[in-house]
């Protein structure tokens, strides 16, 4: 029965990709309360695609915790400052929180989720801080290190991490927390025939799969 | 800040005994009075009852069993509103981003793990003036 359920989930995820291809052109579709697999097509500058989602979330008044795909945090910070609309204003008002993906990647490659457990505490406290304030309590998190794992063929480690995010996101939903979690992955990488099983396996661990808007 | 750190008790709280031993040992050698804890419930009890008027600084880990560092910080600030809070964290966090996201913990500071004793003492001494 579990196998049947798995196959249904995979088919559903794949159908969302197909729908996504038709719907996503031209505007940023921001899912809510989802654990989203976000497939990007720009391998040279993937963070620029992700930043479109950051801008949309900030425009809607959400708190954004952004872990870039680029493991070079210094260059990521420059890109964020240049491409995130009203970057400094959002930082000053506590709407934007950035994270260096490198230590997260390193801990994930070692098969550990310890660092992510601390991130979970931090995010839950951020939500508590905003709850009751006029800012609202919607949070969007970009977990950029997922992309690095697939790009570097660390598929098993990626699945360990995505399973952890799946459990954590489900726990947040049960608690009534309004968190949308984006896990970016390279579309071209996962479209390679030899990785098709990983693509399905990773998609299965998300509640929605969509193709990122081109920039 | 209203109270010099050296006149009160610094609470060091972390579920990792090595961190607590290293930090509290260094602070004591530097002349500070330190209460150190690996159990967060006992730490809170000490802050709320025994040391109520003596708490001069909280140095706490973020993720711990029972009570996390934020709970400890908020409960302590409810008793001693301007007590300095230093979070020990494995993250590389931008302090201004952190303070903007956590306005209720105004002025909290961060100490990234792993840290050297000198870094700990430097951050604590900032609150002496």
């Amino acid at each position: 029965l579990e196998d049947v359920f798995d196959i249904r989930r995979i088919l559903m995820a794949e159908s969302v990709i197909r729908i996504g291809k038709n719907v996503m052109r031209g505007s940023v579709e921001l899912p809510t309360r989802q654990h989203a697999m976000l497939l990007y097509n720009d391998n040279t500058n993937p963070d620029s695609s992700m930043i479109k989602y950051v801008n949309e979330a900030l425009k809607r008044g959400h708190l954004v915790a952004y872990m870039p795909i680029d493991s070079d945090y210094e260059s990521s910070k420059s890109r964020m400052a240049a491409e995130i609309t009203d970057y400094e204003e959002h930082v000053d008002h506590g709407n934007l929180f950035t994270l260096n993906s490198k230590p997260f990647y390193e801990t994930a490659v070692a098969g550990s989720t310890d660092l992510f457990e601390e991130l979970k505490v931090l995010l839950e406290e951020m939500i508590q801080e905003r709850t009751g304030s006029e800012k609202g309590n919607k949070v969007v998190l970009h977990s950029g290190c997922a992309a690095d794992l697939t790009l570097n063929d660390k598929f098993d480690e990626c699945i360990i991490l995505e399973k952890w995010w799946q459990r954590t996101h489900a726990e947040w939903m049960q608690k009534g927390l309004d968190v949308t979690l984006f896990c970016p992955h390279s579309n071209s990488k996962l479209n390679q025939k030899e990785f098709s099983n990983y693509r399905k396996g990773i998609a299965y661990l998300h509640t929605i799969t969509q193709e990122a808007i081109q920039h | 800040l209203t109270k010099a750190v050296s006149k009160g008790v610094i609470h060091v709280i972390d579920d990792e005994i090595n961190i607590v031993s290293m930090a509290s040992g260094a602070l004591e050698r530097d002349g500070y009075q330190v209460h150190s804890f690996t159990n967060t419930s006992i730490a809170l009890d000490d802050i709320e009852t025994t040391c109520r008027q003596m708490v001069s600084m909280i140095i706490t880990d973020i993720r711990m069993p029972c009570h996390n560092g934020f709970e400890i910080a908020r409960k302590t600030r409810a008793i001693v509103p301007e007590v300095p809070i230093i979070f020990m964290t494995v993250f590389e966090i931008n302090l201004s981003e952190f303070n903007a996201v956590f306005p209720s913990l105004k002025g909290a500071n961060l100490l990234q793990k792993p840290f050297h004793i000198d870094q700990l003492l430097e951050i604590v001494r900032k609150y002496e003036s």
Side-chain angles (χ1 to χ4, degrees), chain A residues 98 100 104 115 118 125 129, chain B residues 74 89-92 97 104:
Chain A
T98 61
N100 182 356
F104 287 96
L115 214 56
E118 187 158 328
E125 290 297 330
E129 188 84 22
Chain B
R74 290 195 177 101
T89 175
V90 286
F91 296 135
E92 182 184 340
E97 286 182 17
S104 76

Side-chain angles (χ1 to χ4, degrees), chain A residues 19-124:
Chain A
I19 292 165
K21 275 182 178 170
N22 295 328
V23 171
M24 300 302 294
R25 300 270 183 243
S27 65
V28 176
E29 193 86 1
L30 199 66
T32 55
R33 297 167 64 89
Q34 301 286 336
H35 174 203
M37 181 184 186
L38 192 55
L39 295 163
Y40 61 84
N41 293 301
D42 179 1
N43 288 318
T44 54
N45 196 2
D47 275 307
S48 289
S49 297
M50 298 303 111
I51 285 172
K52 294 211 175 296
Y53 291 81
V54 171
N55 280 329
E56 181 64 24
L58 290 169
K59 198 168 86 180
R60 295 187 194 188
H62 303 345
L63 167 64
V64 178
Y66 187 64
M67 183 197 298
I69 297 167
D70 188 348
S71 58
D72 180 348
Y73 193 44
E74 289 309 311
S75 74
S76 292
K77 281 197 280 193
S78 306
R79 184 180 298 112
M80 287 187 281
E83 296 182 18
I84 293 176
T85 310
D86 300 326
Y87 172 79
E88 284 187 12
E89 196 181 320
H90 283 302
V91 167
D92 290 347
H93 287 98
N95 301 326
L96 178 63
F97 190 83
T98 61
L99 294 151
N100 182 356
S101 65
K102 196 175 175 186
F104 287 96
Y105 176 78
E106 285 168 356
T107 198
V109 164
S112 167
T113 52
D114 266 6
L115 214 56
F116 293 88
E117 292 284 355
E118 187 158 328
L119 176 60
K120 182 184 170 196
V121 171
L122 199 65
L123 283 166
E124 289 176 357

